[in-house]
Amino acid sequence: WQHLVRGFLFGSVLCGQPKTSNNPSLGKKNTPPFCQQHRTMANTAEQPKETAAPAEPVEVAAKAEEKEEAPANASLYVGDLHPEVTEAKLYEKFNAIGPVSSIRVCRDAVTRRSLGYAYVNFSSAADAERALNEMNFEPINGKAVRIMWSQRDPSVRKSGAGNVFIKNLEKSIDNKTLFDTFSQFGNILSCKVACDEKGVSKGYGFVHFEGAEGAQAAISAVDGMLLNEVKVHVAPFLTRKERHDALGQNQTFTNCFVKNLPEDFDEEKLNALFGEHGKITSSVIMRDAQNDNKSRGFGF
């Protein structure tokens, strides 16, 4: 730049004011070559050329567009994991279905112990759906896993729409049995039987349908039915706040606890005994699944 500026100034001093040609036919000013050369150099330095951005190749643009239109959900939630199941074990199982892009077993931030669930991300939604259909309730390390679509939007899980509550389940009914029973009424997002620390059923569970229509059809068809010779109660799932609002603060409790029942007392005898005093919406006698399902001597 210093050489250019010095050359420009030096040329201007030598050239002075440009002279007008005496020839009228030219009709323009005649600038000496030395001055013109330095002015051209200065103008070039002051106004650098703009470099046009290279056009995006057609292949790259097509791939980018294809990536944007790819199925958004190819991620699966895998629950009820054995504590010793690792990412490597899950990769071995799920990569046999289709290419897996990533796997993450969720762990405690301090102890790094498994929290019992993981996320498996496939390269394509078709492979994820095939894994869901083929591997749901299959045992890994001796424990049946529970697979469903990963719901990243918490409002879907918290809304309660399409969610039903099932109680008075016979102890041998597991997640797969519950799924097979209710899948005829609609697409199921998740299905779970509540269990204690030893994996024994607590006698109730939840089924979350994709739409409210499936939930209503399940309630109408299954409520009051016998599952493994035990009558079950099916109703819309209500949060604790919704149950409290439905009862009201001044509402009298309508649930009775009954103890010291004979061993041969079942729900039918319990309903006959208490039905004389009013309509019974549900009843249950608590049983010991580890002792031939015998009555524990109390109920509700």
Side-chain angles (χ1 to χ4, degrees):
W1 282 99
Q2 292 178 353
H3 292 295
L4 290 175
V5 173
R6 288 174 181 174
F8 176 74
L9 295 175
F10 180 69
S12 300
V13 173
L14 291 179
C15 296
Q17 296 297 328
K19 296 182 180 180
T20 304
S21 173
N22 295 327
N23 188 353
S25 62
L26 294 178
K28 61 181 180 178
K29 297 180 180 179
N30 185 13
T31 305
F34 184 82
C35 182
Q36 183 178 5
Q37 178 183 0
H38 285 276
R39 287 180 180 176
T40 303
M41 292 173 63
N43 291 336
T44 304
E46 292 175 358
Q47 300 179 358
K49 293 183 178 180
E50 295 183 358
T51 304
E56 186 178 15
V58 177
E59 295 82 359
V60 176
K63 288 181 180 179
E65 183 177 357
E66 180 180 354
K67 184 177 181 181
E68 291 178 358
E69 296 180 355
N73 194 357
S75 180
L76 296 178
Y77 167 91
V78 184
D80 296 346
L81 286 177
H82 189 280
E84 297 180 0
V85 172
T86 62
E87 284 85 352
K89 186 67 175 181
L90 291 177
Y91 183 85
E92 176 187 343
K93 293 288 186 180
F94 284 92
N95 199 59
I97 302 294
V100 173
S101 59
S102 64
I103 294 178
R104 180 169 66 92
V105 174
C106 296
R107 304 179 183 277
D108 185 271
V110 179
T111 64
R112 303 308 298 163
R113 292 179 181 176
S114 171
L115 296 176
Y117 63 95
Y119 294 95
V120 178
N121 300 312
F122 282 87
S123 300
S124 72
D127 291 335
E129 185 174 6
R130 186 160 57 252
L132 175 63
N133 295 331
E134 295 182 8
M135 298 190 63
N136 202 9
F137 310 117
E138 288 295 315
I140 299 179
N141 280 20
K143 186 176 181 181
V145 298
R146 185 169 56 91
I147 305 175
M148 65 183 191
W149 291 109
S150 174
Q151 297 291 338
R152 301 185 184 278
D153 184 3
S155 62
V156 177
R157 300 189 301 268
K158 296 179 180 179
S159 66
N163 204 354
V164 298
F165 169 72
I166 308 101
K167 69 177 181 179
N168 205 24
L169 289 173
E170 199 269 328
K171 298 297 182 180
S172 65
I173 294 179
D174 56 9
N175 293 330
K176 187 177 187 308
T177 305
L178 197 65
F179 182 90
D180 293 340
T181 301
F182 285 88
S183 59
Q184 58 182 308
F185 302 107
N187 187 29
I188 294 177
L189 298 178
S190 65
C191 174
K192 182 175 179 62
V193 174
C195 298
D196 60 16
E197 295 80 3
K198 297 180 180 180
V200 179
S201 170
K202 292 182 177 180
Y204 64 91
F206 307 90
V207 177
H208 193 179
F209 288 92
E210 187 176 26
E213 298 81 4
Q216 187 56 49
I219 293 172
S220 302
V222 185
D223 186 33
M225 279 185 56
L226 296 179
L227 294 182
N228 287 10
E229 299 182 356
V230 177
K231 184 188 293 187
V232 297
H233 175 65
V234 185
F237 170 77
L238 298 177
T239 63
R240 180 174 297 181
K241 183 179 183 304
E242 289 172 335
R243 293 196 301 269
H244 182 270
D245 293 342
L247 290 173
Q249 294 183 353
N250 298 324
Q251 178 71 31
T252 303
F253 287 101
T254 58
N255 197 6
C256 295
F257 170 70
V258 187
K259 67 178 181 178
N260 294 334
L261 293 172
E263 288 188 2
D264 61 344
F265 224 67
D266 56 14
E267 282 79 3
E268 184 177 353
K269 293 180 180 179
L270 190 65
N271 290 336
L273 179 62
F274 285 86
E276 301 175 358
H277 306 284
K279 181 181 179 181
I280 298 176
T281 58
S282 65
S283 63
V284 61
I285 292 179
M286 307 308 295
R287 301 181 182 278
D288 189 354
Q290 298 180 349
N291 189 18
D292 297 330
N293 209 33
K294 290 184 179 180
S295 170
R296 297 172 63 182
F298 67 93
F300 302 89

